[in-house]
Amino acid sequence: MSRAYYFISDLHIGGDEALGVCDYEQELIAFLEDLPGREEDAELLLIGDIFGLWEFTDIQGPEKLNAVLEQFPGIIRALRKAGETIKITMLPGNHDYEIACYPEFVEVLSSYNIHLERSPAVTRTIGKHTIWIEHGNQQDAYNRMRDFGTPHAQPIGYFLTSSIVSTAGKHSKFGRYNWLKDIQSVYPSEQIPYWVMSNYFYHEMSPLLRWLIVPFVLFAGIEIFVLGGAALEWFELTDTNIFLNNRILSGLGILGNLVQIIFIINTFLFLSLIALGVPLYLIWRDFKKALERFRIVVDPSELSSEKEQQYIDAAHKVFDRSPEIDVFVYGHTHFPSLRRFGRRVVINTGTWLKRFDAVPNRLRFLPKVYVPSFCLNYFRMGETEGRAVIEYHRIDKKPPEDLSLLQRLLTFGKRRKVDEQIPSRTFLDAV
């Protein structure tokens, strides 16, 4: 039988309270049940952050794995069943780093037919091609384990996750809508403050207050036009008399008076915002330049590109050090991709977590809407007609119905960010 490797990462299964839910459990079980039926010598490589062990704060060490096994018996049974037919290999990531630190994990996972590699990276071969496989956190300064294998050598990311993500899992249930648990899906993490602000406005703010704000925002565009016309009439630059003395609204009775009151309040707010907005804008622009001097980029697209470049640089170092390696596989950053550099290929395995795209709404003064979606995917490497080939597969899953009526109205017809198009098949050049 032909040899084949399957790669998935960043499942982030498990965590305190609200984090103990897996949105894609059925799809993952179906994927695991399908693998043994394929006529090939297959190995499934789970390349890090399979378990969300950092997201448990009330228990320590091996107890965390037991908690995951209890939370998701269906997934664990599917792993054990698939492992009876195919080889399943697990690498540690940063969120499940503890599995590399305690020998007990090797025995426990082995009882579920999972082979644990307690090392940052492994290699595999397809024909004459060698594949380098790692989670990727060792290339991330905030999540790198400097003394790999030592349980107390936790990076900065551990303390941020245990204090923020785990707390979100514990407190999410107290909200009007159970949204806080999805904080681990926000990427890049620099978007978290904007995501929190958006969810406060659309889910946590008093509905009465929110629906009072919307009409004033709707009138903002009209307000600019009215103020401009009134200014022209005031300085006698036009002969019209419809803005300062609007007889049309006056003739509408109570409704006209109500609209005029809204205009008056809007004018006060509008002028106040201008008075405050100009100096605040100048301060923000100067602050942004200071951040850029410290190489702290604010633009999310620039952040994503900068982080991806770190892994491309790491891959080239591996290629230079080991010329026999043709493929560099990593996860960690949650965005699937495939990059070709001559005869060499760099693969990011993405994540199965919910994803969010910040979509500007039709009323620019309101917060962006973070539209949820899924990108369940896996990469397969094997041989076809004597040539090594990389296949990319996506598993269909409907977007979650998390948006409120107002969010759907504000984003109706707006195009979300288009996912990167990864070729379904990529052949490796002959060595």
Side-chain angles (χ1 to χ4, degrees), residues 357-368:
D357 293 313
V359 178
N361 58 69
R362 298 189 176 279
L363 303 179
R364 296 289 181 174
F365 295 100
L366 297 181
K368 291 182 179 179

Side-chain angles (χ1 to χ4, degrees), residues 162-234:
S162 59
S163 61
I164 297 176
V165 178
S166 178
T167 300
K170 292 179 178 179
H171 292 266
S172 185
K173 63 185 178 182
F174 298 118
R176 296 176 185 270
Y177 171 77
N178 191 14
W179 58 272
L180 195 55
K181 63 180 176 59
D182 291 325
I183 194 171
Q184 61 183 337
S185 298
V186 183
Y187 185 86
S189 55
E190 288 81 358
Q191 282 288 290
I192 288 177
Y194 306 103
W195 175 77
V196 170
M197 183 187 303
S198 175
N199 277 282
Y200 163 72
F201 180 81
Y202 293 112
H203 293 298
E204 297 299 328
M205 179 181 282
S206 166
L208 178 61
L209 179 60
R210 181 167 55 247
W211 286 105
L212 282 174
I213 290 174
V214 170
F216 289 105
V217 176
L218 283 170
F219 276 105
I222 303 174
E223 187 67 33
I224 296 174
F225 175 72
V226 172
L227 286 175
L232 291 174
E233 292 179 352
W234 179 268

Side-chain angles (χ1 to χ4, degrees), residues 245-284:
N245 184 21
N246 196 319
R247 296 178 180 178
I248 297 176
L249 291 179
S250 300
L252 295 178
I254 296 176
L255 179 60
N257 293 334
L258 178 60
V259 172
Q260 286 183 326
I261 290 172
I262 292 176
F263 273 131
I264 292 171
I265 297 174
N266 242 23
T267 300
F268 174 77
L269 293 174
F270 188 77
L271 294 176
S272 299
L273 287 174
I274 290 178
L276 292 172
V278 172
L280 287 176
Y281 170 75
L282 294 174
I283 293 172
W284 165 248

Side-chain angles (χ1 to χ4, degrees), residues 25-302:
E25 182 169 358
Q26 293 181 352
E27 289 81 5
L28 179 58
I29 291 174
F31 167 71
L32 293 171
E33 291 176 343
D34 179 64
L35 286 180
R38 307 183 184 193
E39 296 182 359
E40 57 190 7
D41 180 14
E43 180 180 4
L44 171 62
L45 289 113
L46 310 171
I47 63 171
D49 282 2
I50 303 305
F51 301 135
L53 302 188
W54 273 4
E55 285 76 8
F56 289 102
T57 55
D58 298 328
I59 53 179
Q60 299 297 323
E63 296 273 339
K64 295 184 177 183
L65 181 57
N66 294 331
V68 174
L69 300 178
E70 292 177 3
Q71 282 182 337
F72 303 100
I75 294 176
I76 302 304
R77 281 196 301 269
L79 284 167
R80 173 185 272 169
K81 183 67 175 177
E84 293 175 356
T85 306
I86 66 171
K87 182 178 181 180
I88 299 178
T89 301
M90 179 179 291
L91 272 68
N94 50 305
H95 284 256
D96 50 14
Y97 168 63
E98 284 98 327
I99 64 176
C101 303
Y102 298 94
E104 300 97 303
F105 283 130
V106 176
E107 185 176 350
V108 172
L109 290 173
S110 178
S111 67
Y112 292 94
N113 298 320
I114 300 172
H115 172 69
L116 174 62
E117 288 278 2
R118 298 172 63 199
S119 60
V122 297
T123 59
R124 294 291 187 269
T125 58
I126 283 285
K128 296 182 180 180
H129 301 277
T130 302
I131 312 160
W132 177 278
I133 307 153
E134 64 173 64
H135 176 63
N137 62 291
Q138 291 299 91
Q139 316 301 334
D140 181 350
Y142 294 103
N143 291 287
R144 180 185 303 126
M145 283 62 186
R146 301 189 182 279
D147 188 10
F148 194 89
T150 303
H152 302 294
Q154 298 285 12
I156 296 174
Y158 166 77
F159 301 100
L160 293 174
T161 300
S162 59
S163 61
I164 297 176
V165 178
S166 178
T167 300
K170 292 179 178 179
H171 292 266
S172 185
K173 63 185 178 182
F174 298 118
R176 296 176 185 270
Y177 171 77
N178 191 14
W179 58 272
L180 195 55
K181 63 180 176 59
D182 291 325
I183 194 171
Q184 61 183 337
S185 298
V186 183
Y187 185 86
S189 55
E190 288 81 358
Q191 282 288 290
I192 288 177
Y194 306 103
W195 175 77
V196 170
M197 183 187 303
S198 175
N199 277 282
Y200 163 72
F201 180 81
Y202 293 112
H203 293 298
E204 297 299 328
M205 179 181 282
S206 166
L208 178 61
L209 179 60
R210 181 167 55 247
W211 286 105
L212 282 174
I213 290 174
V214 170
F216 289 105
V217 176
L218 283 170
F219 276 105
I222 303 174
E223 187 67 33
I224 296 174
F225 175 72
V226 172
L227 286 175
L232 291 174
E233 292 179 352
W234 179 268
F235 291 105
E236 298 182 350
L237 296 176
T238 178
D239 294 331
T240 62
N241 189 28
I242 59 175
F243 295 100
L244 294 176
N245 184 21
N246 196 319
R247 296 178 180 178
I248 297 176
L249 291 179
S250 300
L252 295 178
I254 296 176
L255 179 60
N257 293 334
L258 178 60
V259 172
Q260 286 183 326
I261 290 172
I262 292 176
F263 273 131
I264 292 171
I265 297 174
N266 242 23
T267 300
F268 174 77
L269 293 174
F270 188 77
L271 294 176
S272 299
L273 287 174
I274 290 178
L276 292 172
V278 172
L280 287 176
Y281 170 75
L282 294 174
I283 293 172
W284 165 248
R285 190 175 67 172
D286 189 70
F287 178 65
K288 186 176 179 180
K289 289 181 179 178
L291 290 178
E292 291 172 351
R293 286 198 298 271
F294 285 100
R295 298 184 60 80
I296 302 175
V297 187
V298 177
D299 187 347
S301 61
E302 292 183 26

Side-chain angles (χ1 to χ4, degrees), residues 253-427:
I254 296 176
L255 179 60
N257 293 334
L258 178 60
V259 172
Q260 286 183 326
I261 290 172
I262 292 176
F263 273 131
I264 292 171
I265 297 174
N266 242 23
T267 300
F268 174 77
L269 293 174
F270 188 77
L271 294 176
S272 299
L273 287 174
I274 290 178
L276 292 172
V278 172
L280 287 176
Y281 170 75
L282 294 174
I283 293 172
W284 165 248
R285 190 175 67 172
D286 189 70
F287 178 65
K288 186 176 179 180
K289 289 181 179 178
L291 290 178
E292 291 172 351
R293 286 198 298 271
F294 285 100
R295 298 184 60 80
I296 302 175
V297 187
V298 177
D299 187 347
S301 61
E302 292 183 26
L303 280 168
S304 299
S305 299
E306 186 175 296
K307 290 181 179 181
E308 183 185 33
Q309 188 60 46
Q310 295 176 355
Y311 293 93
I312 292 175
D313 293 342
H316 282 297
K317 289 180 181 179
V318 171
F319 296 149
D320 293 340
R321 185 174 65 245
S322 306
E324 74 280 5
I325 293 175
D326 298 312
V327 182
F328 182 96
V329 182
Y330 73 100
H332 186 60
T333 64
H334 292 193
F335 279 89
S337 64
L338 186 149
R339 303 278 184 263
R340 293 204 71 151
F341 300 94
R343 69 180 179 87
R344 295 197 165 97
V345 177
V346 178
I347 295 173
N348 184 337
T349 49
T351 182
W352 284 40
L353 283 176
K354 185 185 296 182
R355 294 169 50 184
F356 291 103
D357 293 313
V359 178
N361 58 69
R362 298 189 176 279
L363 303 179
R364 296 289 181 174
F365 295 100
L366 297 181
K368 291 182 179 179
V369 176
Y370 284 79
V371 179
S373 64
F374 287 100
C375 183
L376 312 185
N377 68 90
Y378 64 91
F379 285 86
R380 176 191 178 275
M381 292 192 61
E383 285 188 299
T384 299
E385 299 176 355
R387 297 183 64 189
V389 61
I390 302 169
E391 297 177 359
Y392 177 69
H393 299 267
R394 287 191 61 166
I395 300 170
D396 291 333
K397 182 173 178 60
K398 292 178 59 178
E401 297 179 358
D402 293 345
L403 300 183
S404 66
L405 174 61
L406 178 58
Q407 288 174 303
R408 293 197 298 271
L409 290 173
L410 292 175
T411 56
F412 180 76
K414 300 286 285 186
R415 297 182 63 181
R416 57 180 290 272
K417 182 181 177 181
V418 178
D419 288 334
E420 178 177 333
Q421 296 300 308
I422 300 175
S424 59
R425 301 182 104 193
T426 300
F427 286 92

